[in-house]
Amino acid sequence: MIVVLSGGVGAARFLEGLAAIVAPDQIAAIVNTGDDMVMHGLHISPDLDIVTCTLAGVIDRAQGWGIAGDTTECMQWLGRLGAPTWFKLGDRDLALHIYRTARLRGGASLSQVADEIRRALGVQVQIIPMSDDPAPTHVITDQGELHFEEYFVRERCQPAIYGVRLHAAGPVQPAPALLPLLTNATAIIIAPSNPVVSVGPILAVPGVREAISSTTAPVIAISPIVGGAAIKGPAVPLMQAVGMKPTALGVATAYADLIDGIVIDSVDAALAPAIAQLGIRPLVTDTIMRGMPEKMALARAALDLALA
Ligand code: FO1
Ligand code: CA
């Protein structure tokens, strides 16, 4: 099994490319649940839904999240009733949330529900939340401690960040399938996702770092930082807040004790020698995924680096 540590949009796009060149049932995505929250009484799992709906081909491609062609009737009525509307949930998207919440209330685990939803949508890639326990990511800001989505969506990344608190609701257990998958993987790939708030929460799950360190499988990452900027989202201020340099070298340094290789973008070719000095094999190629050919090429590069 090729195991991919995944956040949201960047990971989902990479997984699309990977699933086009490798048998999809031989891929498992371990997905960040640090962005999960309860809103309108519903369990929202942004990264699980982004990965699932992207692989199912029903994602809103322009946004990278939400369901293509969705309508907003329910949200408009929630607004009339005075409910918060800063987190946009379309009508079809709400159906996913109602289903997930009802199953969780009925006693199913988040792992079970994630598996049911991906099967129902025809996704062959295994999709596993990092934990079945609540593991919210909080951001410490000049406006107080905020849930990641409050910082990211409601406050549009405006507050200054002082730090990040992972698993803010208390200790979590790894999802049942997680550690066996890592231990028995043929390759482990860290997707081009935010190292602090997407991959960080997965690596902080007890046993994950140990399982990755002790596996004989190759472990590689793809830098989500290109030319000192994030491909998407607030990775730069978040990395700076936790003392990482917001460059491809900074990403390699952050993962140095875990990875054997890293894919970096051509614009960062000059960083390759410094990465090699860390004992990490750099592979320099174009990493911006505009369409399917680029996604497949990046997946091919990652596999070449891992299995070389
Ligand atoms: N991102 C936004 O910027 N605004 C939204 O209103 C929003 C709603 C939303 C609903 C469901 C979902 O699965 C994702 C949603 N996202 C929204 C995206 C998302 O939460 C972030 O892009 C990721 O968490 C960052 O990786
Ligand atoms: Ca996310």
Side-chain angles (χ1 to χ4, degrees), residues 9 13 59-66 68 232:
V9 180
R13 292 164 67 80
I59 202 78
D60 180 324
R61 293 203 174 266
Q63 292 182 142
W65 50 270
K232 183 185 178 295

Side-chain angles (χ1 to χ4, degrees), residues 7-9 32 35 46-47 50 148-149 197-198:
V9 180
N32 168 45
D35 298 355
D47 287 351
I50 289 167
F148 174 73
E149 296 288 7
V197 294
S198 296

Side-chain angles (χ1 to χ4, degrees), residues 51-125:
V51 168
T52 305
C53 290
T54 300
L55 290 172
V58 299
I59 202 78
D60 180 324
R61 293 203 174 266
Q63 292 182 142
W65 50 270
I67 296 176
D70 214 348
T71 48
T72 59
E73 294 294 326
C74 187
M75 209 70 212
Q76 290 176 37
W77 273 80
L78 282 167
R80 279 180 79 165
L81 299 174
T85 56
W86 56 267
F87 200 75
K88 304 271 179 279
L89 297 164
D91 296 326
R92 295 175 191 173
D93 205 1
L94 279 158
L96 279 183
H97 293 99
I98 291 168
Y99 178 81
R100 174 164 44 232
T101 306
R103 292 287 294 125
L104 291 171
R105 294 243 173 91
S109 68
L110 189 61
S111 294
Q112 287 173 313
V113 183
D115 197 59
E116 290 169 6
I117 293 176
R118 69 97 179 166
R119 284 174 192 277
L121 296 181
V123 173
Q124 286 177 274
V125 172

Side-chain angles (χ1 to χ4, degrees), residues 5-31:
L5 307 191
S6 310
V9 180
R13 292 164 67 80
F14 174 75
L15 282 160
E16 266 189 297
L18 190 62
I21 64 166
V22 172
D25 62 356
Q26 293 305 305
I27 303 170
I30 309 284
V31 181

